[in-house]
Amino acid sequence: MLLPAAGLQAQEEEAGPESSPAPALSAPAEALPPPSEAGVFFADVMVRGQPVFQVGSLTGLTASDRAAIINRRIAGLLSQAQQLGTVAVQVDDNRQIALLAVNNRVLMTVTQQDADDFGLTVEELAQQWADRLNQVLAQPNLAIDVLQRLDSTTRQLVNDTIVLLPSLLGAIVLVGLTWIVAKGVRRLGLLWAEQTEGDRGTEILIGRLCYGGVWVLGSIVALGVLGLDFTALLGTLGLTSVAIGFSLRDVLSNYISGVILLAARPFRISDQVVIGNYEGTVVQIQLRATTMRTYDGRLVYIPNQQVFQKSVVNNTDSPVRRSDVVVGIDYDADINAARQVIIEAVTRVEGVEKEPPPLILVQDLAPSTVRLEVRFWVNSRRQSFLQVTSEASQAMKESLQAAGIDMPTEIHTLMFREGTKVAIDAIAAKGADQQEP
């Protein structure tokens, strides 16, 4: 049985603190009450921020407005210093309504429409709501309060989950499709890079960029399915961009440096490079860090920001690398003959490149030797480079000795003044006299 809007609205809004009887009601209406704003038929009655029960909408009065009036009255009672009494139920069978009052103040009216909504009689529904209000208005102990809040939160979560279930399922399905598409796009990107670039570092960059791009697009669409307002999101990001930039500047710098390194390609995987204080073979190039294995077997992770800011020496960018060896010969030796002997010795060593041919330069005229700089080209890999250089040095030394060309060590000449020479001769003579029997 439905109540007209005028009588109920006056009853809800104008019932004073001391009034207990309800105003007269008009004849019942035939039409069903319209839904509340945004299509909501019920609204929560709150006590200390905790929902207790829900009231429905009535003709001319939305559920939200009705709940707001009741919540304002309850908040007014709770703000007073006097002790609250028990919520009492006053039933008017003739008019089929019931009043809930406490401390002689009417909190709300229970109508026949409320009873029909919940499938109860007016008296049963009024008593049920009164019991809930009495339970919540009484100061509970901590355990009961925690349990009530947990129960309220759980119910609210369940209700929200049921409402958002279609959106959640749609977002989950979209995330799965995004994962499948991202893997496929990454595979296609790698295949295309293998055919066009032929560089493993570039292949990794293209594959990761394709994979990340698909995930970004898929995430945007999934958030849209969940009802995210991108205008508000962009505004929030704009307000917090400075804080995010300061907090993540090192991480973002490493990733941006990694993209630049993979695109510029100063070195590739398996190249032997020198980066700062580290020298070794590049094992892996990631967006955040570059992994290097040093020649003594240690694994070094270098952040890409440091790699980008330091000088990089790539020893294996070219297939061949020049080696320099300095050889000293005696001043009396024939330099042209020594050159011929050294060239023949170096060209016999396996691993020395024929082109360009070895080159011998007079580097320095030292006090006791003539220093010759021998330049020849070998494989740029470190093991081959060191081994061939060692064998070439050994071959030059043995060939020069076999040809009778001396390789003197450093000779130092001492010059003594006349007085110093006389003193040394006197000391020598005195020592000889002491040794005689």
Side-chain angles (χ1 to χ4, degrees), residues 193-235:
E194 290 176 357
Q195 296 176 359
T196 57
E197 297 291 336
D199 177 69
R200 186 59 181 171
T202 305
E203 296 170 8
I204 294 174
L205 173 62
I206 293 175
R208 288 177 178 173
L209 289 179
C210 294
Y211 187 80
V214 174
W215 266 112
V216 169
L217 294 177
S219 300
I220 292 175
V221 177
L223 292 175
V225 171
L226 289 175
L228 179 65
D229 186 357
F230 286 100
T231 303
L233 177 62
L234 292 176

mmCIF file of all heavy atoms in Angstrom, residues 193-235:
data_model
loop_
_atom_site.group_PDB
_atom_site.id
_atom_site.type_symbol
_atom_site.label_atom_id
_atom_site.label_comp_id
_atom_site.label_asym_id
_atom_site.label_seq_id
_atom_site.Cartn_x
_atom_site.Cartn_y
_atom_site.Cartn_z
ATOM 1 N N ALA A 193 62.922 -7.887 -37.226
ATOM 2 C CA ALA A 193 64.242 -7.346 -36.909
ATOM 3 C C ALA A 193 65.355 -8.293 -37.356
ATOM 4 O O ALA A 193 66.416 -7.858 -37.809
ATOM 5 C CB ALA A 193 64.346 -7.081 -35.407
ATOM 6 N N GLU A 194 65.117 -9.605 -37.225
ATOM 7 C CA GLU A 194 66.132 -10.560 -37.674
ATOM 8 C C GLU A 194 66.370 -10.463 -39.176
ATOM 9 O O GLU A 194 67.500 -10.631 -39.650
ATOM 10 C CB GLU A 194 65.705 -11.980 -37.297
ATOM 11 C CG GLU A 194 65.757 -12.257 -35.801
ATOM 12 C CD GLU A 194 65.224 -13.636 -35.465
ATOM 13 O OE1 GLU A 194 64.772 -14.333 -36.415
ATOM 14 O OE2 GLU A 194 65.239 -14.018 -34.283
ATOM 15 N N GLN A 195 65.322 -10.176 -39.928
ATOM 16 C CA GLN A 195 65.460 -10.112 -41.378
ATOM 17 C C GLN A 195 66.014 -8.778 -41.865
ATOM 18 O O GLN A 195 66.663 -8.715 -42.896
ATOM 19 C CB GLN A 195 64.099 -10.362 -42.038
ATOM 20 C CG GLN A 195 63.550 -11.763 -41.778
ATOM 21 C CD GLN A 195 62.167 -11.957 -42.364
ATOM 22 O OE1 GLN A 195 61.610 -11.038 -42.953
ATOM 23 N NE2 GLN A 195 61.612 -13.153 -42.211
ATOM 24 N N THR A 196 65.765 -7.709 -41.090
ATOM 25 C CA THR A 196 66.177 -6.384 -41.563
ATOM 26 C C THR A 196 67.434 -5.866 -40.874
ATOM 27 O O THR A 196 68.292 -5.269 -41.516
ATOM 28 C CB THR A 196 65.037 -5.381 -41.342
ATOM 29 O OG1 THR A 196 64.682 -5.369 -39.948
ATOM 30 C CG2 THR A 196 63.825 -5.758 -42.170
ATOM 31 N N GLU A 197 67.544 -6.085 -39.557
ATOM 32 C CA GLU A 197 68.651 -5.509 -38.809
ATOM 33 C C GLU A 197 69.844 -6.459 -38.695
ATOM 34 O O GLU A 197 70.970 -6.085 -38.953
ATOM 35 C CB GLU A 197 68.167 -5.106 -37.403
ATOM 36 C CG GLU A 197 67.094 -4.034 -37.412
ATOM 37 C CD GLU A 197 67.626 -2.698 -37.868
ATOM 38 O OE1 GLU A 197 68.841 -2.469 -37.753
ATOM 39 O OE2 GLU A 197 66.824 -1.879 -38.360
ATOM 40 N N GLY A 198 69.565 -7.685 -38.278
ATOM 41 C CA GLY A 198 70.649 -8.643 -38.109
ATOM 42 C C GLY A 198 71.488 -8.393 -36.868
ATOM 43 O O GLY A 198 72.586 -8.935 -36.737
ATOM 44 N N ASP A 199 70.997 -7.580 -35.956
ATOM 45 C CA ASP A 199 71.722 -7.280 -34.725
ATOM 46 C C ASP A 199 70.852 -7.694 -33.546
ATOM 47 O O ASP A 199 69.686 -7.301 -33.451
ATOM 48 C CB ASP A 199 72.048 -5.793 -34.649
ATOM 49 C CG ASP A 199 72.747 -5.440 -33.345
ATOM 50 O OD1 ASP A 199 73.898 -5.857 -33.168
ATOM 51 O OD2 ASP A 199 72.123 -4.754 -32.518
ATOM 52 N N ARG A 200 71.437 -8.461 -32.631
ATOM 53 C CA ARG A 200 70.660 -9.002 -31.528
ATOM 54 C C ARG A 200 70.157 -7.899 -30.599
ATOM 55 O O ARG A 200 69.038 -7.953 -30.091
ATOM 56 C CB ARG A 200 71.522 -9.988 -30.732
ATOM 57 C CG ARG A 200 70.754 -10.732 -29.638
ATOM 58 C CD ARG A 200 69.596 -11.511 -30.217
ATOM 59 N NE ARG A 200 68.832 -12.197 -29.193
ATOM 60 C CZ ARG A 200 67.674 -12.799 -29.400
ATOM 61 N NH1 ARG A 200 67.146 -12.796 -30.621
ATOM 62 N NH2 ARG A 200 67.035 -13.399 -28.420
ATOM 63 N N GLY A 201 70.973 -6.885 -30.354
ATOM 64 C CA GLY A 201 70.541 -5.795 -29.491
ATOM 65 C C GLY A 201 69.341 -5.061 -30.056
ATOM 66 O O GLY A 201 68.391 -4.739 -29.341
ATOM 67 N N THR A 202 69.357 -4.779 -31.351
ATOM 68 C CA THR A 202 68.216 -4.105 -31.979
ATOM 69 C C THR A 202 66.984 -5.000 -31.965
ATOM 70 O O THR A 202 65.860 -4.530 -31.784
ATOM 71 C CB THR A 202 68.575 -3.719 -33.416
ATOM 72 O OG1 THR A 202 69.767 -2.935 -33.405
ATOM 73 C CG2 THR A 202 67.452 -2.923 -34.058
ATOM 74 N N GLU A 203 67.178 -6.285 -32.168
ATOM 75 C CA GLU A 203 66.055 -7.220 -32.106
ATOM 76 C C GLU A 203 65.399 -7.188 -30.724
ATOM 77 O O GLU A 203 64.167 -7.183 -30.597
ATOM 78 C CB GLU A 203 66.536 -8.625 -32.438
ATOM 79 C CG GLU A 203 67.056 -8.769 -33.873
ATOM 80 C CD GLU A 203 67.749 -10.106 -34.090
ATOM 81 O OE1 GLU A 203 67.684 -10.953 -33.180
ATOM 82 O OE2 GLU A 203 68.365 -10.290 -35.151
ATOM 83 N N ILE A 204 66.223 -7.167 -29.688
ATOM 84 C CA ILE A 204 65.682 -7.106 -28.325
ATOM 85 C C ILE A 204 64.902 -5.808 -28.120
ATOM 86 O O ILE A 204 63.811 -5.797 -27.547
ATOM 87 C CB ILE A 204 66.826 -7.230 -27.296
ATOM 88 C CG1 ILE A 204 67.457 -8.630 -27.390
ATOM 89 C CG2 ILE A 204 66.322 -6.968 -25.886
ATOM 90 C CD1 ILE A 204 68.684 -8.796 -26.526
ATOM 91 N N LEU A 205 65.458 -4.694 -28.579
ATOM 92 C CA LEU A 205 64.784 -3.404 -28.419
ATOM 93 C C LEU A 205 63.433 -3.395 -29.126
ATOM 94 O O LEU A 205 62.416 -2.999 -28.549
ATOM 95 C CB LEU A 205 65.682 -2.293 -28.960
ATOM 96 C CG LEU A 205 65.050 -0.902 -29.022
ATOM 97 C CD1 LEU A 205 64.677 -0.414 -27.633
ATOM 98 C CD2 LEU A 205 65.990 0.081 -29.711
ATOM 99 N N ILE A 206 63.403 -3.836 -30.373
ATOM 100 C CA ILE A 206 62.153 -3.818 -31.132
ATOM 101 C C ILE A 206 61.115 -4.733 -30.485
ATOM 102 O O ILE A 206 59.935 -4.385 -30.348
ATOM 103 C CB ILE A 206 62.419 -4.218 -32.592
ATOM 104 C CG1 ILE A 206 63.276 -3.141 -33.275
ATOM 105 C CG2 ILE A 206 61.112 -4.418 -33.358
ATOM 106 C CD1 ILE A 206 63.697 -3.492 -34.672
ATOM 107 N N GLY A 207 61.554 -5.924 -30.075
ATOM 108 C CA GLY A 207 60.626 -6.856 -29.444
ATOM 109 C C GLY A 207 60.032 -6.299 -28.160
ATOM 110 O O GLY A 207 58.828 -6.398 -27.919
ATOM 111 N N ARG A 208 60.864 -5.681 -27.333
ATOM 112 C CA ARG A 208 60.372 -5.151 -26.065
ATOM 113 C C ARG A 208 59.483 -3.931 -26.267
ATOM 114 O O ARG A 208 58.497 -3.741 -25.535
ATOM 115 C CB ARG A 208 61.551 -4.812 -25.163
ATOM 116 C CG ARG A 208 62.259 -6.054 -24.624
ATOM 117 C CD ARG A 208 63.470 -5.715 -23.802
ATOM 118 N NE ARG A 208 64.098 -6.929 -23.269
ATOM 119 C CZ ARG A 208 65.252 -6.954 -22.620
ATOM 120 N NH1 ARG A 208 65.913 -5.820 -22.425
ATOM 121 N NH2 ARG A 208 65.756 -8.088 -22.175
ATOM 122 N N LEU A 209 59.829 -3.096 -27.212
ATOM 123 C CA LEU A 209 58.980 -1.936 -27.469
ATOM 124 C C LEU A 209 57.607 -2.363 -27.985
ATOM 125 O O LEU A 209 56.577 -1.795 -27.592
ATOM 126 C CB LEU A 209 59.664 -1.003 -28.475
ATOM 127 C CG LEU A 209 60.894 -0.237 -27.965
ATOM 128 C CD1 LEU A 209 61.482 0.616 -29.078
ATOM 129 C CD2 LEU A 209 60.539 0.620 -26.762
ATOM 130 N N CYS A 210 57.572 -3.353 -28.876
ATOM 131 C CA CYS A 210 56.279 -3.867 -29.365
ATOM 132 C C CYS A 210 55.469 -4.470 -28.226
ATOM 133 O O CYS A 210 54.264 -4.210 -28.092
ATOM 134 C CB CYS A 210 56.515 -4.898 -30.465
ATOM 135 S SG CYS A 210 57.241 -4.231 -31.985
ATOM 136 N N TYR A 211 56.134 -5.257 -27.396
ATOM 137 C CA TYR A 211 55.455 -5.910 -26.267
ATOM 138 C C TYR A 211 54.901 -4.868 -25.293
ATOM 139 O O TYR A 211 53.733 -4.922 -24.878
ATOM 140 C CB TYR A 211 56.443 -6.826 -25.562
ATOM 141 C CG TYR A 211 55.840 -7.699 -24.481
ATOM 142 C CD1 TYR A 211 55.162 -8.871 -24.810
ATOM 143 C CD2 TYR A 211 55.974 -7.370 -23.145
ATOM 144 C CE1 TYR A 211 54.622 -9.682 -23.821
ATOM 145 C CE2 TYR A 211 55.440 -8.163 -22.150
ATOM 146 C CZ TYR A 211 54.767 -9.321 -22.500
ATOM 147 O OH TYR A 211 54.228 -10.114 -21.512
ATOM 148 N N GLY A 212 55.735 -3.880 -24.939
ATOM 149 C CA GLY A 212 55.289 -2.852 -24.008
ATOM 150 C C GLY A 212 54.195 -1.978 -24.591
ATOM 151 O O GLY A 212 53.259 -1.572 -23.879
ATOM 152 N N GLY A 213 54.281 -1.660 -25.897
ATOM 153 C CA GLY A 213 53.254 -0.833 -26.519
ATOM 154 C C GLY A 213 51.889 -1.489 -26.494
ATOM 155 O O GLY A 213 50.874 -0.834 -26.211
ATOM 156 N N VAL A 214 51.835 -2.790 -26.795
ATOM 157 C CA VAL A 214 50.557 -3.504 -26.756
ATOM 158 C C VAL A 214 49.994 -3.528 -25.338
ATOM 159 O O VAL A 214 48.793 -3.344 -25.122
ATOM 160 C CB VAL A 214 50.726 -4.927 -27.312
ATOM 161 C CG1 VAL A 214 49.437 -5.732 -27.138
ATOM 162 C CG2 VAL A 214 51.098 -4.879 -28.791
ATOM 163 N N TRP A 215 50.860 -3.723 -24.344
ATOM 164 C CA TRP A 215 50.389 -3.752 -22.960
ATOM 165 C C TRP A 215 49.848 -2.392 -22.535
ATOM 166 O O TRP A 215 48.872 -2.313 -21.781
ATOM 167 C CB TRP A 215 51.511 -4.202 -22.031
ATOM 168 C CG TRP A 215 51.499 -5.667 -21.769
ATOM 169 C CD1 TRP A 215 52.402 -6.609 -22.167
ATOM 170 C CD2 TRP A 215 50.506 -6.379 -21.026
ATOM 171 N NE1 TRP A 215 52.037 -7.855 -21.742
ATOM 172 C CE2 TRP A 215 50.884 -7.748 -21.029
ATOM 173 C CE3 TRP A 215 49.341 -6.008 -20.372
ATOM 174 C CZ2 TRP A 215 50.134 -8.732 -20.393
ATOM 175 C CZ3 TRP A 215 48.596 -6.998 -19.729
ATOM 176 C CH2 TRP A 215 49.001 -8.338 -19.748
ATOM 177 N N VAL A 216 50.479 -1.317 -22.982
ATOM 178 C CA VAL A 216 49.976 0.019 -22.632
ATOM 179 C C VAL A 216 48.581 0.231 -23.215
ATOM 180 O O VAL A 216 47.646 0.682 -22.518
ATOM 181 C CB VAL A 216 50.958 1.096 -23.133
ATOM 182 C CG1 VAL A 216 50.323 2.484 -23.015
ATOM 183 C CG2 VAL A 216 52.248 1.043 -22.342
ATOM 184 N N LEU A 217 48.408 -0.096 -24.494
ATOM 185 C CA LEU A 217 47.092 0.064 -25.119
ATOM 186 C C LEU A 217 46.052 -0.832 -24.457
ATOM 187 O O LEU A 217 44.921 -0.412 -24.179
ATOM 188 C CB LEU A 217 47.190 -0.248 -26.613
ATOM 189 C CG LEU A 217 48.034 0.717 -27.454
ATOM 190 C CD1 LEU A 217 48.107 0.232 -28.898
ATOM 191 C CD2 LEU A 217 47.463 2.130 -27.389
ATOM 192 N N GLY A 218 46.424 -2.092 -24.199
ATOM 193 C CA GLY A 218 45.487 -3.011 -23.556
ATOM 194 C C GLY A 218 45.100 -2.554 -22.159
ATOM 195 O O GLY A 218 43.933 -2.669 -21.755
ATOM 196 N N SER A 219 46.058 -2.005 -21.406
ATOM 197 C CA SER A 219 45.755 -1.525 -20.052
ATOM 198 C C SER A 219 44.809 -0.338 -20.098
ATOM 199 O O SER A 219 43.898 -0.227 -19.267
ATOM 200 C CB SER A 219 47.060 -1.148 -19.341
ATOM 201 O OG SER A 219 47.930 -2.248 -19.240
ATOM 202 N N ILE A 220 45.002 0.546 -21.061
ATOM 203 C CA ILE A 220 44.111 1.707 -21.177
ATOM 204 C C ILE A 220 42.682 1.257 -21.469
ATOM 205 O O ILE A 220 41.713 1.732 -20.856
ATOM 206 C CB ILE A 220 44.622 2.655 -22.275
ATOM 207 C CG1 ILE A 220 45.942 3.302 -21.842
ATOM 208 C CG2 ILE A 220 43.588 3.728 -22.597
ATOM 209 C CD1 ILE A 220 46.584 4.154 -22.909
ATOM 210 N N VAL A 221 42.538 0.312 -22.398
ATOM 211 C CA VAL A 221 41.197 -0.177 -22.726
ATOM 212 C C VAL A 221 40.583 -0.914 -21.538
ATOM 213 O O VAL A 221 39.391 -0.754 -21.235
ATOM 214 C CB VAL A 221 41.258 -1.087 -23.967
ATOM 215 C CG1 VAL A 221 39.879 -1.669 -24.275
ATOM 216 C CG2 VAL A 221 41.783 -0.317 -25.174
ATOM 217 N N ALA A 222 41.393 -1.728 -20.823
ATOM 218 C CA ALA A 222 40.868 -2.470 -19.671
ATOM 219 C C ALA A 222 40.409 -1.517 -18.574
ATOM 220 O O ALA A 222 39.358 -1.721 -17.951
ATOM 221 C CB ALA A 222 41.936 -3.425 -19.137
ATOM 222 N N LEU A 223 41.183 -0.473 -18.315
ATOM 223 C CA LEU A 223 40.762 0.512 -17.316
ATOM 224 C C LEU A 223 39.505 1.253 -17.763
ATOM 225 O O LEU A 223 38.664 1.621 -16.937
ATOM 226 C CB LEU A 223 41.898 1.501 -17.060
ATOM 227 C CG LEU A 223 43.142 0.923 -16.365
ATOM 228 C CD1 LEU A 223 44.237 1.967 -16.288
ATOM 229 C CD2 LEU A 223 42.794 0.414 -14.975
ATOM 230 N N GLY A 224 39.385 1.470 -19.069
ATOM 231 C CA GLY A 224 38.161 2.082 -19.573
ATOM 232 C C GLY A 224 36.952 1.191 -19.347
ATOM 233 O O GLY A 224 35.860 1.671 -19.036
ATOM 234 N N VAL A 225 37.127 -0.125 -19.517
ATOM 235 C CA VAL A 225 36.033 -1.063 -19.252
ATOM 236 C C VAL A 225 35.613 -1.011 -17.783
ATOM 237 O O VAL A 225 34.437 -1.124 -17.442
ATOM 238 C CB VAL A 225 36.454 -2.495 -19.652
ATOM 239 C CG1 VAL A 225 35.421 -3.516 -19.195
ATOM 240 C CG2 VAL A 225 36.641 -2.583 -21.155
ATOM 241 N N LEU A 226 36.583 -0.814 -16.890
ATOM 242 C CA LEU A 226 36.268 -0.713 -15.467
ATOM 243 C C LEU A 226 35.639 0.624 -15.097
ATOM 244 O O LEU A 226 35.268 0.830 -13.942
ATOM 245 C CB LEU A 226 37.547 -0.917 -14.645
ATOM 246 C CG LEU A 226 38.110 -2.338 -14.633
ATOM 247 C CD1 LEU A 226 39.433 -2.380 -13.883
ATOM 248 C CD2 LEU A 226 37.127 -3.317 -14.001
ATOM 249 N N GLY A 227 35.563 1.539 -16.058
ATOM 250 C CA GLY A 227 34.906 2.813 -15.798
ATOM 251 C C GLY A 227 35.833 3.904 -15.329
ATOM 252 O O GLY A 227 35.383 4.868 -14.701
ATOM 253 N N LEU A 228 37.129 3.792 -15.608
ATOM 254 C CA LEU A 228 38.071 4.813 -15.179
ATOM 255 C C LEU A 228 37.881 6.093 -15.988
ATOM 256 O O LEU A 228 37.752 6.046 -17.217
ATOM 257 C CB LEU A 228 39.513 4.307 -15.345
ATOM 258 C CG LEU A 228 40.623 5.280 -14.954
ATOM 259 C CD1 LEU A 228 40.573 5.562 -13.459
ATOM 260 C CD2 LEU A 228 41.983 4.724 -15.334
ATOM 261 N N ASP A 229 37.867 7.211 -15.289
ATOM 262 C CA ASP A 229 37.757 8.514 -15.940
ATOM 263 C C ASP A 229 39.166 8.984 -16.287
ATOM 264 O O ASP A 229 39.938 9.388 -15.418
ATOM 265 C CB ASP A 229 37.084 9.515 -14.995
ATOM 266 C CG ASP A 229 36.808 10.848 -15.696
ATOM 267 O OD1 ASP A 229 37.195 10.989 -16.875
ATOM 268 O OD2 ASP A 229 36.225 11.732 -15.055
ATOM 269 N N PHE A 230 39.515 8.929 -17.583
ATOM 270 C CA PHE A 230 40.879 9.268 -17.994
ATOM 271 C C PHE A 230 41.148 10.763 -17.853
ATOM 272 O O PHE A 230 42.288 11.174 -17.687
ATOM 273 C CB PHE A 230 41.123 8.822 -19.431
ATOM 274 C CG PHE A 230 41.281 7.345 -19.568
ATOM 275 C CD1 PHE A 230 40.224 6.558 -20.010
ATOM 276 C CD2 PHE A 230 42.462 6.735 -19.230
ATOM 277 C CE1 PHE A 230 40.364 5.191 -20.127
ATOM 278 C CE2 PHE A 230 42.611 5.362 -19.341
ATOM 279 C CZ PHE A 230 41.568 4.587 -19.786
ATOM 280 N N THR A 231 40.124 11.583 -17.913
ATOM 281 C CA THR A 231 40.340 13.013 -17.708
ATOM 282 C C THR A 231 40.833 13.282 -16.291
ATOM 283 O O THR A 231 41.794 14.025 -16.074
ATOM 284 C CB THR A 231 39.040 13.781 -17.964
ATOM 285 O OG1 THR A 231 38.580 13.509 -19.292
ATOM 286 C CG2 THR A 231 39.263 15.270 -17.786
ATOM 287 N N ALA A 232 40.188 12.638 -15.328
ATOM 288 C CA ALA A 232 40.631 12.794 -13.941
ATOM 289 C C ALA A 232 42.009 12.184 -13.734
ATOM 290 O O ALA A 232 42.842 12.710 -12.993
ATOM 291 C CB ALA A 232 39.619 12.138 -12.987
ATOM 292 N N LEU A 233 42.253 11.037 -14.406
ATOM 293 C CA LEU A 233 43.563 10.385 -14.272
ATOM 294 C C LEU A 233 44.673 11.279 -14.808
ATOM 295 O O LEU A 233 45.715 11.453 -14.172
ATOM 296 C CB LEU A 233 43.547 9.049 -15.014
ATOM 297 C CG LEU A 233 44.885 8.287 -15.031
ATOM 298 C CD1 LEU A 233 45.298 7.921 -13.616
ATOM 299 C CD2 LEU A 233 44.758 7.036 -15.890
ATOM 300 N N LEU A 234 44.458 11.869 -15.976
ATOM 301 C CA LEU A 234 45.478 12.743 -16.546
ATOM 302 C C LEU A 234 45.690 13.975 -15.676
ATOM 303 O O LEU A 234 46.822 14.457 -15.524
ATOM 304 C CB LEU A 234 45.072 13.158 -17.965
ATOM 305 C CG LEU A 234 45.067 12.034 -19.008
ATOM 306 C CD1 LEU A 234 44.556 12.556 -20.344
ATOM 307 C CD2 LEU A 234 46.460 11.427 -19.171
ATOM 308 N N GLY A 235 44.621 14.487 -15.093
ATOM 309 C CA GLY A 235 44.780 15.617 -14.189
ATOM 310 C C GLY A 235 45.592 15.253 -12.965
ATOM 311 O O GLY A 235 46.455 16.014 -12.519
#
